[in-house]
Amino acid sequence: MIVESVGEGVTELEPGDHVLPVFTGECKECRHCKSVESNMCDLLRINTDRGVMLNDNESRFSINGKPIYHFVGTSTFSEYTVVHVGCVAKINPAAPMDKVCVLSCGISTGLGATLNVAKPKKGQSVAIFGLGAVGLAAAEGARMAGASRIIGVDLNPNRFAEAKKFGVTEFVNPKDHNKPVQEVIAEMTDGGVDRSLECTGNINAMISAFECVHDGWGVAVLVGVPSKDDAFKTHPMNLLNGRTLKGTFFGNYKPRTDLPSVVEKYMNKELDVEKFITHEVPFSEINKAFDYMLQGASLRCIIRMGA
């Protein structure tokens, strides 16, 4: 996205800047933004119900005199949009927008969940639950961290071959076993993996991801978003025995502060973004991108604006 114009009071951006819009934000003023331990901005964290701009509670879009409400602070399914300055990250203008645009959501979420939260040490083992775009990005993070074993867990066996490109070394389909998958992984790894990441939002997968890490030092990170009525249930001894359970949001990246450095990982060839892209469709055929995703054929679609 290229900045077309800026509103009153905006000083960090100017027309012509290259930016990535992000569904969550960073005001840089609240306690969360000032803390090195959080990226959950009080002002601009994701809010699916807001639908309006913050300063006047009005929409900037309309059709035939009726308002069209904003979507998660970005409304990027349009050729022009209006975004709070805290929800755009200024990036290297040399970065190809049709590639780095995928870093605004799932790729950074999975990558950061591994590198910033799970933090596997070189030579450790990692289990990834769910091999969609977020899970593959988590696996990519494990590969970059030097994990010795990266075990992919998914109900769709068609994803296993693709996952090898992202460093996954072994695969487990829970449907192939007559015991809980956490027990299968514990047997494979002499007591459990060092780190696990759950990237599906399925509550049973979350429980399995936690219970499959090794006692004493294992860390499980929940990345997927569960149903509002779900409840996480496990025996307290799993915690008392030294397992750690963590959660993360957008990979613990602060959008404005940290996302430019993720773009630089791509520019420096540390991060291969192209392999996450499976389809490109023109903006006029945007519904086709949704069809691809519903069919399970796409990891991540690129939508060309204005075509």
Side-chain angles (χ1 to χ4, degrees):
M1 178 181 288
I2 299 174
V3 176
E4 187 270 340
S5 59
V6 297
E8 183 179 352
V10 175
T11 59
E12 294 186 25
L13 297 172
E14 58 185 29
D17 283 344
H18 287 216
V19 298
L20 292 181
V22 186
F23 62 94
T24 187
E26 181 186 356
C27 73
K28 295 192 176 183
E29 299 296 332
C30 70
R31 289 193 301 168
H32 283 277
C33 286
K34 291 181 177 180
S35 170
V36 297
E37 299 181 11
S38 175
N39 67 341
M40 300 291 289
C41 177
D42 281 329
L43 181 66
L44 298 168
R45 71 176 65 182
I46 185 172
N47 183 336
T48 57
D49 298 322
R50 184 182 294 134
V52 294
M53 299 299 289
L54 288 172
N55 70 320
D56 59 6
N57 290 319
E58 297 288 341
S59 170
R60 298 295 184 269
F61 306 110
S62 65
I63 184 169
N64 298 325
K66 295 182 179 180
I68 298 175
Y69 292 100
H70 297 245
F71 179 67
V72 293
T74 58
S75 301
T76 51
F77 288 169
S78 58
E79 293 184 77
Y80 288 87
T81 188
V82 182
V83 183
H84 191 287
V85 66
C87 291
V88 289
K90 183 178 177 179
I91 63 168
N92 185 340
M97 295 296 289
D98 63 340
K99 301 295 188 298
V100 298
C101 61
V102 299
L103 298 175
S104 285
C105 188
I107 310 306
S108 294
T109 295
L111 186 72
T114 301
L115 297 178
N116 299 334
V117 187
K119 297 180 180 178
K121 299 179 177 65
K122 186 175 182 179
Q124 287 191 322
S125 57
V126 179
I128 310 290
F129 285 73
L131 297 176
V134 176
L136 293 177
E140 182 77 353
R143 181 195 64 77
M144 293 169 66
S148 60
R149 299 177 69 179
I150 304 174
I151 302 170
V153 183
D154 201 292
L155 296 173
N156 183 354
N158 295 328
R159 289 179 164 178
F160 292 165
E162 186 73 18
K164 292 179 181 178
K165 300 178 184 177
F166 300 83
V168 176
T169 59
E170 301 162 70
F171 306 95
V172 176
N173 185 337
K175 293 190 295 186
D176 293 339
H177 303 274
N178 57 8
K179 65 179 68 175
V181 68
Q182 55 265 48
E183 294 182 14
V184 175
I185 293 174
E187 291 175 3
M188 292 172 59
T189 56
D190 191 24
V193 290
D194 301 299
R195 302 287 187 266
S196 73
L197 296 105
E198 190 287 322
C199 304
T200 72
N202 179 280
I203 192 64
N204 293 318
M206 291 181 173
I207 294 169
S208 296
F210 174 58
E211 294 184 353
C212 82
V213 299
H214 205 290
D215 60 1
W217 62 80
V219 177
V221 179
L222 305 186
V223 185
V225 179
S227 167
K228 65 182 180 64
D229 296 322
D230 283 335
F232 188 96
K233 299 174 69 175
T234 191
H235 197 283
M237 284 304 298
N238 288 320
L239 288 160
L240 295 173
N241 284 340
R243 296 177 179 87
T244 298
L245 180 64
K246 293 185 174 184
T248 182
F249 182 74
F250 194 54
N252 276 34
Y253 285 122
K254 293 180 184 289
R256 298 163 77 186
T257 299
D258 299 328
L259 202 51
S261 66
V262 181
V263 172
E264 291 308 309
K265 287 182 183 295
Y266 166 75
M267 297 298 286
N268 295 332
K269 302 187 184 305
E270 300 171 46
L271 173 63
D272 182 358
V273 168
E274 280 89 346
K275 64 185 177 184
F276 287 95
I277 301 168
T278 56
H279 297 76
E280 294 190 28
V281 297
F283 189 44
S284 59
E285 299 178 14
I286 189 171
N287 286 334
K288 185 178 291 186
F290 286 99
D291 291 338
Y292 284 140
M293 289 187 281
L294 289 172
Q295 294 164 10
S298 175
L299 304 177
R300 189 76 177 178
C301 278
I302 294 295
I303 299 166
R304 296 194 304 273
M305 293 295 191

